[in-house]
Amino acid sequence: AQSSVQLFGTVDLAARYVKNGDVKRTDLASNGNSTSRLGVRGVEDLGGGLKAGFWLEAAVNPDSGTADSSRFWGRRSTVSLMGDFGEVRLGRDKMPTQLAFEAYDVFGATGIADINTTYRVPSGITVAANSRADNAVQYFLPGNLNGVYGSLAVAAGEGVTGGKYMGGRLGWASGPVDVSVAYGQNEITDSDDFKRFVVGGSYDFQVVKVLANYQETKFQDQKDRHMTVGASVPFGVGEFKASYSKIDGRGGAIADRDADQFAIGYVHNLSKRTALYTTYAYIKNDGTANYVVADNGATSMTGRKSQGVDVGIRHSF
Amino acid sequence: AQSSVQLFGTVDLAARYVKNGDVKRTDLASNGNSTSRLGVRGVEDLGGGLKAGFWLEAAVNPDSGTADSSRFWGRRSTVSLMGDFGEVRLGRDKMPTQLAFEAYDVFGATGIADINTTYRVPSGITVAANSRADNAVQYFLPGNLNGVYGSLAVAAGEGVTGGKYMGGRLGWASGPVDVSVAYGQNEITDSDDFKRFVVGGSYDFQVVKVLANYQETKFQDQKDRHMTVGASVPFGVGEFKASYSKIDGRGGAIADRDADQFAIGYVHNLSKRTALYTTYAYIKNDGTANYVVADNGATSMTGRKSQGVDVGIRHSF
Amino acid sequence: AQSSVQLFGTVDLAARYVKNGDVKRTDLASNGNSTSRLGVRGVEDLGGGLKAGFWLEAAVNPDSGTADSSRFWGRRSTVSLMGDFGEVRLGRDKMPTQLAFEAYDVFGATGIADINTTYRVPSGITVAANSRADNAVQYFLPGNLNGVYGSLAVAAGEGVTGGKYMGGRLGWASGPVDVSVAYGQNEITDSDDFKRFVVGGSYDFQVVKVLANYQETKFQDQKDRHMTVGASVPFGVGEFKASYSKIDGRGGAIADRDADQFAIGYVHNLSKRTALYTTYAYIKNDGTANYVVADNGATSMTGRKSQGVDVGIRHSF
C-alpha cells in the first residue's frame, strides 16, 4: 500500500542567563520553547479502515550537537495498528500520566518554565517508566467518541526497577473545553508501588485561555502534590503566557520540601513553524527543596532561589 | 546525475513469553519477524552503464528506543560502483558465509526461531568479522549470468582479532531452485584461522517451499556442525513456517555441546509491508550447550530447555 | 510557510597503505577525498526577505559503520535567521579561524594530505572550541557586499576549558581572487588565551589554481607557524593537486618540533557527485615532532617519517 514516510523535527536554541543561589552563568541552551528533535514517521493505509504506522523520534541537543546517548530514539519508537476500534501502539512512548501532567502546562513542558523542573519522583527510588516507558503496549480510544479521548498502557518491567507500569487517562475535549484525569502506578518492590494521579483542564475564552492541573504522587509515606495554574493571551501573531506552580511535599525523612515556581513568557510567531520567544522563570525552594530552572553548575541549592531568562528561536520542520 | 535518495526501514515489535529452565518472563521484544532498522540509500546513474550507490543502515531496538551503541550504522555502511562487470562494494557489510547461512532459514534469521541463536563461534576466541565485517571490499557477480550469482570479500583486519576475513559464495537461482555454497576464514592468530563452510538450497514446489542448509565451522580441534531443514506453506495472504536444526559440536575441552532447535510460525500479511505474526520456538540443550531462544535473565542454562512464543507486528517502509 | 527538508551526505572510502616509521599497514579508510557524513537541512521562507533554516550534520565512518559517539550531530547543529542583514546562526558549528585555515587547502582538509594532520594546539592544553564550538552564536555578512564576506562568532564556555571562543573572519572573493584573514582566541585560564591567526588566498589562472595560507598560533611562550602552498590543475574531467606545508614550532619545553608535509593527488570526476581519487602524502618530522599522515598503530613517531597512499571513491548525495 501507499507509502508516506515523513522526516520531521525541531531545532530550538536560546541565549540563556541562569542564576542559581549566587552562581550566575550565561549559556546557549536547547529546548526553550519546544524540545529539539528529529523523527521519521509514516502511515500505511491497509484498506477496510485499517492503518499501520510507525514513529521513530530522537532527542537532539543542538547547542552541543549531541544525541541521547542511552536511547537514541528515546522520545518515541513505536509501531501501531489503527482502525475504527482506536489504536494499539507498541514500543517506547510517553505514558498517560505524563501526558496528562504536561497537557495543561502553558509552557509546553519544556525550557526554564517547564513544570517538570519542579516534579521529582520520591527520594530513594528510581522509576524507570516515569515519563516514558520501554516495552509498552498502549491502547488509544478512537477519535469519534464525541470528544471523549483516552488511553490505557501497560509496560513490561523486564527486571528494571520501576519499569513495570500500568496506567490510563480519560478526557473530554469539545469546543473551548478540555479536561482529563489520569492514574498510573509503577512496581518498585514486590509490595510497594509508586502511584501518580493527575487531573487537569483548560478553557479557551478566546481573549485568554486558562489552564490548571493537580498532581499527587505517593510512595510509602512520601506524598507529594504539584498544583499549576496558567494562562495564555493571544496578541496578534504573538502570545503572552504565565504560569504558577505550588509544590507541596509531605512525609518521608525530609518532610519540608515545598517550592513555588513562577514564569512569564512571550512567543512571537514568524510562521506556523518558526517563532522567537523569551521567558522568565523563578523558583523559590523551602526547606530541603533544591529545584532549579536549569542547571548552571551550582551545587547545594537547598532552600535557595533559582531564576533565569532566555531569548531564543524555535524552528520546526 | 539524477539523485534518488531513499529513507527505508522496519519497525517490528512483539509481545513475547520466554521460559528458560525455570525462569519465565513476559516482555515486549524487537525483531520477531524482521530486524528493526532505519536506513538511507541511493543510486546515481553515471551513464555508459555505470552506477554509483551508497547504503547506510542502522539497527533500531524499538522496544526501548535504543540504537546500536558501538556501531550506529552497524548493519551496513557502504559505497558501490556498479556496471556490466558486477559490483564493487566498500565498507562494513554482511559477509558471504553469513549471507549463505541465513539465506535458507525460513524464519529469516531473526526472532526466537533465528538459526543464529544456535550458532556460536568456537569457545575461547572472538571473531570480529563473523556475520559482518568492517573495512571490507566485496565484489558481486553481475545479474546476467543465467542465474549464477555470488560474491568475493576480503576485510582488512587492522589489528583486530578475527577482523581479517577472506571468503566467497557461489550460487545458482533459477525458477524454483536456489542453491549456494560459501567458504570463509578469519585470521585469529598468525598460525590459526577460524574456518566456516556453508552449503544450502531451497526448492519452491508452490504448495510448499522446502529449505535446507549445512554449516561446518572449525578452529583448531573444535569442529561444529549446524544442520537446518525448513518449510513454508502459503495459505491465502498468510504463510505457515516450520524449521528444525541439529547442532553437533565436536572436539575442544567441552566436547558434549549438542542441541536441537525446533520452531513453527504463522505470518499473516496485511499488505506487502505490514504483517501480524506468531512464532513458537524450542531448544533442547545437551551436555554443556546453553543456547536460548531469547535471553530472559536466566543463568546456568547448561543442558536445560528453552522455549518461547511471540505475537507481533512487523511494519516496513 | 513552504517546507524544503533535504537529506544529504557523503560516503567516501579508500584502500590505503600507510607506513609510519617501520610500521606498515593496509586498511580501508573513510574520508580520503571528502568527509563522510549524513545530514538533514531545510530553509523556510518567512516572507519579507526573512528566512529561517536549520542544519543537522552527523559524521559517519563508513569503514566500520560508526557514528561520532560523543556528539552525534557533531559536524553541525544549528538554527538560523537570515535576511538582508545577513545570517544569525545559533548552535554547534565550525569556527571562523578553522574555516579560514581549511579554505586554502587544495586537499579539502581531509584524508592523508589534510593540512590538519600537521596542525596541533600547543602541548599541555586542550582547546574545546578549536575547529568547532558548542554553544556558539555566529553572525555572517550578507551575500551582496561586492564579494566581501565574513563572520563573527562567540561561544559560551559553560565551564569547559577552551570552550569560550571569540573570533572572526573577513574575506573578499571576486572572479579569480579569494583572500581572507581570520583571528580567534579561546580562554584557557583566567589570564591566558590560546590565540590563532590565519591569512590565506587563492587565485584561479584557469590552467592552474594556486593557493596559499599562513597560520600562527600562540599560547604563553609557545608560538607555532603553519605555512601551506598548493596548486590544482584541471585535466578534462580530472584534477591534479599538489601541496606543501612547512610547520615551524618555537618556544615551550620542546622547541624543536618542525615538520614538512608534502602531497600529490589526482581526482577523476565520474559526475558532479561521484569521483575516484588517489593521493600520496609524506611527512618529515624533526626533533620532537611526531605527525603522521594517518594512524596505523605505530607508536614513538618522534622525528620519524610518515607516508601513505590511497585509492578510493567518494559519493555525495
Side-chain angles (χ1 to χ4, degrees):
Chain A
Q2 194 76 2
S3 168
S4 66
V5 177
Q6 202 189 339
L7 206 62
F8 68 96
T10 297
V11 180
D12 182 323
L13 284 165
R16 187 175 74 179
Y17 169 81
V18 173
K19 185 180 172 197
N20 290 339
D22 297 328
V23 178
K24 302 164 188 178
R25 193 160 84 184
T26 302
D27 56 16
L28 192 79
S30 303
N31 315 336
N33 176 263
S34 182
T35 312
S36 298
R37 72 195 77 176
L38 182 70
V40 189
R41 64 187 168 205
V43 171
E44 181 194 20
D45 193 336
L46 298 166
L50 208 61
K51 287 176 184 179
F54 76 98
W55 192 299
L56 296 172
E57 188 175 317
V60 173
N61 302 306
D63 55 351
S64 58
T66 56
D68 184 334
S69 58
S70 69
R71 283 177 177 79
F72 190 86
W73 303 104
R75 291 184 53 83
R76 182 169 164 190
S77 59
T78 61
V79 62
S80 295
L81 206 58
M82 296 159 278
D84 293 339
F85 59 86
E87 176 180 352
V88 175
R89 191 186 290 178
L90 309 181
R92 177 176 171 82
D93 199 3
K94 208 172 260 189
M95 289 296 96
T97 29
Q98 183 69 14
L99 283 172
F101 181 59
E102 296 185 348
Y104 309 103
D105 178 3
V106 72
F107 287 97
T110 192
I112 54 175
D114 183 357
I115 61 168
N116 284 299
T117 56
T118 52
Y119 162 52
R120 286 206 201 127
V121 299
S123 69
I125 60 167
T126 57
V127 182
N130 183 29
S131 60
R132 288 177 174 85
D134 291 349
N135 311 306
V137 179
Q138 194 164 185
Y139 164 73
F140 290 83
L141 291 173
N144 56 3
L145 302 177
N146 293 313
V148 174
Y149 64 89
S151 69
L152 267 174
V154 293
E158 301 190 7
V160 178
T161 303
K164 193 169 175 178
Y165 171 90
M166 213 169 161
R169 180 186 181 201
L170 192 66
W172 179 62
S174 178
V177 186
D178 180 5
V179 290
S180 69
V181 56
Y183 173 77
Q185 58 184 52
N186 300 68
E187 190 182 294
I188 304 299
T189 67
D190 283 346
S191 55
D192 280 310
D193 289 337
F194 165 66
K195 295 169 183 173
R196 189 175 179 192
F197 168 79
V198 189
V199 57
S202 65
Y203 195 96
D204 192 346
F205 291 98
Q206 303 294 325
V207 292
V208 58
K209 182 179 178 181
V210 292
L211 312 91
N213 80 359
Y214 171 83
Q215 171 176 283
E216 222 173 271
T217 59
K218 205 180 162 185
F219 176 69
Q220 293 172 344
D221 66 336
Q222 295 184 60
K223 199 169 168 179
D224 290 79
R225 297 189 298 171
H226 192 291
M227 293 148 278
T228 302
V229 290
S232 68
V233 176
F235 188 78
V237 299
E239 187 185 28
F240 289 94
K241 304 191 287 189
S243 173
Y244 169 74
S245 295
K246 173 91 199 148
I247 293 84
D248 174 29
R250 297 181 185 187
I254 43 164
D256 184 10
R257 54 179 187 276
D258 295 357
D260 293 88
Q261 181 184 15
F262 170 74
I264 51 170
Y266 173 69
V267 179
H268 186 79
N269 294 297
L270 297 174
S271 78
K272 280 198 171 182
R273 294 167 46 203
T274 305
L276 303 176
Y277 62 88
T278 182
T279 322
Y280 168 78
Y282 172 86
I283 293 174
K284 188 174 145 285
N285 291 300
D286 291 337
T288 60
N290 61 350
Y291 303 107
V292 291
V293 299
D295 177 33
N296 73 343
T299 49
S300 51
M301 280 297 295
T302 299
R304 309 193 75 173
K305 290 171 189 168
S306 169
Q307 51 187 325
V309 60
D310 67 8
V311 181
I313 176 170
R314 181 260 302 154
H315 176 65
S316 296
F317 54 94
Chain B
Q2 195 76 4
S3 168
S4 67
V5 176
Q6 202 190 341
L7 206 61
F8 68 96
T10 296
V11 180
D12 182 324
L13 283 166
R16 187 176 73 180
Y17 170 81
V18 173
K19 186 180 172 197
N20 290 339
D22 297 328
V23 179
K24 303 162 188 179
R25 194 162 83 184
T26 303
D27 56 16
L28 193 79
S30 303
N31 315 337
N33 175 264
S34 181
T35 312
S36 298
R37 71 195 77 175
L38 182 70
V40 188
R41 64 187 168 206
V43 171
E44 182 194 21
D45 192 336
L46 298 166
L50 208 61
K51 288 175 184 180
F54 76 98
W55 192 298
L56 296 172
E57 188 176 317
V60 172
N61 301 308
D63 56 350
S64 57
T66 56
D68 184 335
S69 58
S70 69
R71 282 177 177 77
F72 190 86
W73 303 104
R75 292 185 53 83
R76 182 169 163 189
S77 59
T78 60
V79 61
S80 295
L81 207 58
M82 296 159 278
D84 293 340
F85 59 86
E87 176 181 351
V88 175
R89 191 186 291 178
L90 309 182
R92 177 177 172 83
D93 200 3
K94 208 171 261 188
M95 290 295 96
T97 28
Q98 183 70 13
L99 283 171
F101 181 59
E102 297 185 348
Y104 310 103
D105 178 3
V106 71
F107 287 97
T110 192
I112 54 174
D114 183 356
I115 60 169
N116 284 300
T117 58
T118 52
Y119 163 51
R120 287 204 202 128
V121 298
S123 68
I125 61 167
T126 57
V127 182
N130 183 29
S131 61
R132 289 178 173 83
D134 291 348
N135 312 306
V137 179
Q138 194 164 186
Y139 164 74
F140 290 84
L141 291 174
N144 57 1
L145 302 177
N146 294 312
V148 173
Y149 65 89
S151 69
L152 267 174
V154 293
E158 302 189 7
V160 178
T161 303
K164 193 169 176 179
Y165 171 90
M166 212 170 163
R169 180 187 181 201
L170 192 67
W172 179 63
S174 178
V177 186
D178 179 5
V179 289
S180 69
V181 57
Y183 173 78
Q185 59 183 52
N186 301 68
E187 191 182 295
I188 306 299
T189 66
D190 282 347
S191 56
D192 280 311
D193 289 337
F194 164 66
K195 294 168 183 174
R196 190 174 178 192
F197 168 78
V198 189
V199 58
S202 65
Y203 195 96
D204 191 346
F205 292 97
Q206 303 293 325
V207 291
V208 57
K209 182 179 178 180
V210 292
L211 311 91
N213 79 358
Y214 171 83
Q215 171 175 284
E216 223 173 270
T217 59
K218 206 181 161 185
F219 177 69
Q220 292 172 346
D221 66 335
Q222 296 185 60
K223 198 170 168 180
D224 290 79
R225 297 189 297 171
H226 192 291
M227 293 148 278
T228 302
V229 291
S232 67
V233 176
F235 187 78
V237 298
E239 188 184 28
F240 288 95
K241 303 191 286 189
S243 174
Y244 169 74
S245 295
K246 174 89 201 151
I247 294 84
D248 173 29
R250 297 179 186 187
I254 43 164
D256 183 9
R257 55 178 187 275
D258 295 358
D260 292 271
Q261 181 184 17
F262 171 73
I264 52 169
Y266 173 69
V267 179
H268 185 80
N269 294 296
L270 297 174
S271 78
K272 280 198 171 183
R273 294 167 48 202
T274 306
L276 303 176
Y277 63 87
T278 184
T279 322
Y280 168 78
Y282 172 86
I283 294 174
K284 189 175 144 285
N285 290 301
D286 292 337
T288 60
N290 61 350
Y291 302 107
V292 290
V293 299
D295 177 34
N296 73 343
T299 49
S300 52
M301 280 297 295
T302 299
R304 308 193 76 174
K305 290 171 190 166
S306 168
Q307 52 187 324
V309 60
D310 68 8
V311 180
I313 176 169
R314 180 260 301 154
H315 176 66
S316 295
F317 53 95
Chain C
Q2 195 77 1
S3 168
S4 67
V5 176
Q6 202 189 341
L7 206 61
F8 68 95
T10 297
V11 181
D12 182 325
L13 283 166
R16 187 176 73 181
Y17 170 82
V18 173
K19 187 181 172 196
N20 290 339
D22 296 327
V23 178
K24 302 162 187 180
R25 193 162 84 184
T26 303
D27 56 16
L28 192 79
S30 303
N31 314 336
N33 175 264
S34 182
T35 312
S36 298
R37 73 196 77 176
L38 181 70
V40 188
R41 65 186 167 206
V43 171
E44 181 194 20
D45 193 335
L46 298 166
L50 207 61
K51 287 176 185 180
F54 76 98
W55 191 300
L56 296 172
E57 188 175 317
V60 173
N61 301 307
D63 56 351
S64 58
T66 55
D68 184 334
S69 58
S70 70
R71 282 178 177 79
F72 190 86
W73 302 105
R75 290 184 54 82
R76 182 170 164 191
S77 58
T78 60
V79 62
S80 294
L81 206 58
M82 296 160 277
D84 293 339
F85 59 86
E87 176 181 352
V88 175
R89 191 187 291 178
L90 310 181
R92 177 176 171 84
D93 200 3
K94 208 171 261 188
M95 290 295 96
T97 28
Q98 183 70 13
L99 283 171
F101 181 59
E102 296 185 349
Y104 310 103
D105 178 3
V106 72
F107 286 98
T110 192
I112 54 175
D114 183 356
I115 59 168
N116 284 300
T117 57
T118 51
Y119 161 52
R120 288 207 200 125
V121 298
S123 68
I125 60 167
T126 57
V127 182
N130 183 28
S131 60
R132 289 178 173 84
D134 291 349
N135 311 306
V137 179
Q138 194 164 186
Y139 164 74
F140 289 84
L141 291 174
N144 57 2
L145 303 177
N146 293 313
V148 174
Y149 64 90
S151 69
L152 267 174
V154 293
E158 302 191 6
V160 178
T161 304
K164 193 168 175 179
Y165 171 89
M166 213 169 162
R169 180 186 181 201
L170 192 67
W172 180 63
S174 179
V177 186
D178 178 6
V179 290
S180 69
V181 57
Y183 173 77
Q185 58 182 52
N186 300 69
E187 190 181 294
I188 305 299
T189 66
D190 282 347
S191 56
D192 279 311
D193 289 336
F194 165 67
K195 294 169 184 174
R196 191 174 178 193
F197 168 79
V198 189
V199 57
S202 65
Y203 196 96
D204 192 345
F205 293 98
Q206 303 294 325
V207 292
V208 58
K209 182 180 179 181
V210 292
L211 311 91
N213 80 358
Y214 171 83
Q215 171 176 283
E216 222 173 270
T217 59
K218 205 181 162 186
F219 177 70
Q220 292 173 345
D221 67 336
Q222 295 184 61
K223 199 170 168 180
D224 289 80
R225 298 189 297 171
H226 192 290
M227 294 147 277
T228 302
V229 290
S232 67
V233 176
F235 187 77
V237 299
E239 187 185 28
F240 289 94
K241 304 190 287 190
S243 174
Y244 170 75
S245 295
K246 174 89 200 150
I247 294 83
D248 173 30
R250 296 181 186 186
I254 43 165
D256 183 8
R257 54 179 187 276
D258 295 359
D260 293 88
Q261 180 184 16
F262 170 74
I264 52 168
Y266 173 70
V267 179
H268 186 79
N269 293 298
L270 298 174
S271 77
K272 280 199 171 182
R273 294 167 46 204
T274 306
L276 304 176
Y277 63 87
T278 183
T279 323
Y280 168 78
Y282 173 87
I283 294 174
K284 190 175 144 284
N285 290 302
D286 292 338
T288 61
N290 61 352
Y291 303 107
V292 291
V293 299
D295 177 33
N296 72 345
T299 49
S300 52
M301 280 296 295
T302 300
R304 309 193 76 173
K305 289 172 189 167
S306 168
Q307 52 186 324
V309 61
D310 67 8
V311 180
I313 176 170
R314 181 260 301 154
H315 176 66
S316 297
F317 54 94

